[in-house]
Amino acid sequence: MVKRYFVTLALLTLCLCEPAYALTKLETSVDRNPAIEGEYLVLTIKADDEVDNASLDTRALLKDFIVGRTSVSRSTQIMNFDASKETRWQILLAPKQSGIITIPALTIDKVSSDPITLKVAATGSQPEQMKNLFIRSTVSTEEAYVGQLITYKVKLYLAVELQRGVLSAPQVEGAQLKQLGDDVDTTEILDGRRYRVIERTYSVIADKPGTLSLSGASFSGDVLVDTSRRGGMFSFNQSRPMEAKAAPSEITILPAPEHYQGKWLVSDLVIIKEDQPDTNTVEVGSPITRNITLIASNSDESSLPEIPMSLPDSFKTYPEKPQRQTFVREKQVVAQLTQTTAIVPTKAGTYTLPEIKVPWWNSHSRKQEFATLPERTITVTAAENSNAVTPTLVSEAKQTDSGYWPYLTALFAALWLLTLLLWRKQYREKVTMSPSFAEPVSPKKAPNGDLQTLTAACQTAEAGNIMLALQAYFSQRLNRAMTLTDIGALTPELAQAITQLQQARYSKTHQPIDTKAIINAVKQASITGQSAQKSALSPLNPSV
């Protein structure tokens, strides 16, 4: 009985006591041997206990290696009630030189690993097709001018599955570096081995002459590789850190030639073009919209100069802000500048819009050339009477404005017609109810045209709407189609109001509209005796 008691007590003591672990072994291994000079390999260090991260001193590796990223992991395994713990370090190492290099013994808590003799081959001695991950980079030219766009392309080749990673841009000083477009993900087969290829393109524009040095793009991340456990027949995917770096590049940057004239623009090809109009004959006061586009191959949008434009004195100009963009088309970088300008002739006659020349430097022929837009002759005629009430200026504005203007025009026209129909209904009701309204209306009692519609247009503060309402108002009052030029000839106040509306409509900057002054000018305009008064409903049916 006593013997059984002591046996039970001993078993309970063994179960309650926690097992004591101690570091007894430190193992090191590399993922490949021989290695390549300057290329990273993975040094794995395993300790058979759970130890602190800082207990491993790796300063001895700095003598012969470039030490990269270090990752630490811990694991615990229990087999047949026997627990074991492990701490694992994975360190990226890049040999500084070729030859025989020794990875020294590493020590933790007086337990040391065995040194590793590493054979290091010279750079480029191992074919790229034998690697699981490598980078290639190319530049479009080895010699360029200041301000010339140089394309730097990077290709990351992956024969293993990518878990996570970052592709970093090359380091460069004295130049502007910008990524062009999005990454392109494709596949390539090299010597029978399939690679996933991630391609990225950068633009490089040097700011000053000399030698431009690019350090080379780099990759840092984790990949999944197949590994087999010792004594096992199955393979497992294991996460492994990897780094790669493209070879550095140097480009000779030339200064702009001294004999070059004009604003500096260097490109492979420059073209200037203009949207062709339907006719080269316009009336006085009708705007002409010029859409001119400047296109340059292998250039940046910031390098494109504004398009010079000179016009005769009889034209008023209202330029809009130029639109710039850079895009990639058929593996070529294309820069584009679009400049829209509204020009309004103020006198009748035949005019020549001068030739437009944009100087540029051909990087292939190394000569100065000119992108030319030929001169253009237009005929400006005096404003003639027309049966159409809709003004020419507003019609032209409709064509040039691509936004909400067509819808607003239709809305105000509908409201104008609705107002006239309601007035006509009320007028008929009054004629029916009161005998006095059956008498002819004297000119002094004639209704005040469409002043209410004009006032409503002024409240919108839209120059196009106000000009439309002005022409409709005076066309109705004078019983003939009136252009803006005809209206401006009535009084100096009206001429000043129309000039203000044109500036507000076509100026590239915001111009305020004094709507109160416009209404006063309309009310004060002397139109007595210029036309016989008609019924207020006559504009709806001019043929009657």
Side-chain angles (χ1 to χ4, degrees):
M1 186 69 181
V2 176
K3 184 177 180 180
R4 181 181 298 175
Y5 173 78
F6 279 108
V7 171
T8 304
L9 183 61
L11 290 174
L12 289 173
T13 304
L14 289 175
C15 292
L16 294 175
C17 292
E18 294 184 358
Y21 300 101
L23 177 63
T24 60
K25 185 170 57 175
L26 197 64
E27 295 181 352
T28 56
S29 62
V30 291
D31 65 336
R32 51 179 171 155
N33 193 358
I36 306 296
E37 178 186 355
E39 296 185 5
Y40 285 96
L41 57 94
V42 181
L43 171 65
T44 303
I45 306 164
K46 293 190 294 184
D48 62 348
D49 193 10
E50 184 173 336
V51 296
D52 186 70
N53 297 353
S55 59
L56 179 64
D57 188 359
T58 59
R59 288 178 295 179
L61 300 173
L62 297 174
K63 177 182 177 182
D64 298 315
F65 298 92
I66 299 173
V67 179
R69 187 162 57 95
T70 300
S71 61
V72 183
S73 62
R74 293 178 176 81
S75 62
T76 301
Q77 295 182 351
I78 300 177
M79 185 176 295
N80 296 331
F81 300 102
D82 185 14
S84 61
K85 296 185 177 182
E86 180 182 274
T87 304
R88 180 193 298 262
W89 289 265
Q90 287 187 317
I91 306 174
L92 291 175
L93 298 179
K96 295 181 179 179
Q97 58 186 8
S98 59
I100 304 298
I101 298 178
T102 300
I103 298 178
L106 303 175
T107 303
I108 299 178
D109 295 339
K110 299 181 180 180
V111 178
S112 300
S113 65
D114 295 329
I116 299 176
T117 301
L118 187 65
K119 296 180 180 180
V120 181
T123 303
S125 60
Q126 182 186 15
E128 291 180 338
Q129 292 79 359
M130 299 298 294
K131 305 175 186 178
N132 290 329
L133 184 149
F134 61 92
I135 292 181
R136 289 179 178 176
S137 64
T138 56
V139 291
S140 58
T141 181
E142 296 181 352
E143 189 176 79
Y145 288 91
V146 171
Q148 180 177 349
L149 187 142
I150 307 165
T151 55
Y152 178 88
K153 293 186 178 181
V154 182
K155 283 188 174 182
L156 174 65
Y157 288 80
L158 293 162
V160 289
E161 184 178 351
L162 177 64
Q163 190 176 23
R164 67 182 65 88
V166 176
L167 183 61
S168 301
Q171 300 296 321
V172 60
E173 293 183 1
Q176 306 171 32
L177 182 70
K178 182 172 63 176
Q179 181 176 342
L180 294 175
D182 300 325
D183 293 345
V184 180
D185 200 331
T186 58
T187 59
E188 291 186 17
I189 297 178
L190 300 178
D191 292 344
R193 192 177 188 187
R194 182 180 296 274
Y195 288 86
R196 177 190 176 188
V197 181
I198 300 175
E199 181 178 348
R200 182 177 295 178
T201 304
Y202 295 94
S203 67
V204 184
I205 301 179
D207 299 328
K208 55 185 178 180
T211 301
L212 186 67
S213 299
L214 288 84
S215 62
S218 60
F219 169 81
S220 176
D222 296 320
V223 298
L224 295 178
V225 295
D226 292 336
T227 58
S228 57
R229 294 185 177 179
R230 185 176 300 175
M233 57 182 299
F234 300 103
S235 60
F236 301 87
N237 287 333
Q238 183 182 13
S239 178
R240 178 171 295 178
M242 280 194 175
E243 291 187 7
K245 191 175 181 65
S249 303
E250 287 191 352
I251 305 173
T252 302
I253 305 300
L254 304 175
E258 296 181 357
H259 60 275
Y260 180 85
Q261 297 179 355
K263 184 176 180 180
W264 176 248
L265 172 62
V266 56
S267 176
D268 296 342
L269 178 65
V270 178
I271 299 175
I272 186 171
K273 62 179 183 177
E274 179 182 7
D275 296 344
Q276 294 299 322
D278 297 333
T279 179
N280 286 324
T281 302
V282 294
E283 290 185 357
V284 172
S286 299
I288 305 170
T289 302
R290 303 194 71 182
N291 292 315
I292 303 176
T293 303
L294 182 66
I295 302 174
S297 174
N298 282 335
S299 185
D300 184 75
E301 59 186 58
S302 60
S303 303
L304 298 180
E306 292 193 8
I307 301 173
M309 184 183 301
S310 59
L311 296 172
D313 296 336
S314 299
F315 287 83
K316 296 180 180 180
T317 61
Y318 304 96
E320 297 182 3
K321 183 179 180 180
Q323 303 296 321
R324 301 173 182 266
Q325 61 175 330
T326 301
F327 51 90
V328 179
R329 178 177 295 173
E330 297 180 357
K331 298 183 178 181
Q332 293 289 328
V333 182
V334 179
Q336 177 176 299
L337 181 145
T338 302
Q339 189 165 311
T340 301
T341 304
I343 59 176
V344 180
T346 59
K347 293 182 181 180
T350 301
Y351 300 95
T352 299
L353 305 183
E355 176 187 58
I356 298 177
K357 297 178 67 175
V358 177
W360 63 284
W361 183 262
N362 191 322
S363 58
H364 293 295
S365 63
R366 299 193 175 187
K367 294 181 180 179
Q368 180 172 357
E369 299 185 13
F370 293 90
T372 305
L373 186 66
E375 64 182 21
R376 174 179 157 197
T377 302
I378 62 172
T379 302
V380 180
T381 60
E384 297 180 358
N385 294 339
S386 175
N387 293 329
V389 177
T390 305
T392 305
L393 181 61
V394 177
S395 175
E396 188 73 25
K398 287 183 179 180
Q399 298 177 3
T400 59
D401 194 345
S402 60
Y404 54 81
W405 168 240
Y407 304 101
L408 286 178
T409 304
L411 176 61
F412 279 103
L415 292 176
W416 178 55
L417 291 174
L418 180 60
T419 302
L420 292 179
L421 290 174
L422 291 175
W423 184 89
R424 182 178 184 181
K425 181 180 179 181
Q426 293 175 359
Y427 175 75
R428 287 183 174 179
E429 291 176 354
K430 291 180 180 180
V431 170
T432 304
M433 294 176 60
S434 175
S436 62
F437 280 94
E439 300 177 0
V441 179
S442 64
K444 295 183 180 180
K445 296 182 180 179
N448 193 21
D450 295 302
L451 187 60
Q452 184 178 1
T453 304
L454 177 60
T455 304
C458 289
Q459 292 176 353
T460 66
E462 290 288 340
N465 298 342
I466 300 173
M467 289 189 289
L468 173 63
L470 274 174
Q471 289 189 284
Y473 174 81
F474 281 101
S475 297
Q476 176 183 336
R477 297 286 292 174
L478 300 180
N479 299 324
R480 61 186 178 89
M482 294 288 290
T483 65
L484 293 178
T485 304
D486 296 335
I487 297 172
L490 296 177
T491 64
E493 290 79 10
L494 286 175
Q496 183 178 1
I498 292 174
T499 301
Q500 181 190 57
L501 288 172
Q502 289 178 334
Q503 291 176 350
R505 174 62 184 87
Y506 297 104
S507 178
K508 61 181 180 180
T509 59
H510 176 72
Q511 298 288 340
I513 301 176
D514 189 354
T515 56
K516 184 178 296 185
I518 295 174
I519 296 297
N520 292 335
V522 171
K523 291 181 177 180
Q524 295 173 4
S526 176
I527 58 175
T528 305
Q530 297 183 21
S531 173
Q533 295 290 339
K534 282 191 176 183
S535 170
L537 300 179
S538 60
L540 289 176
N541 191 9
S543 60
V544 178

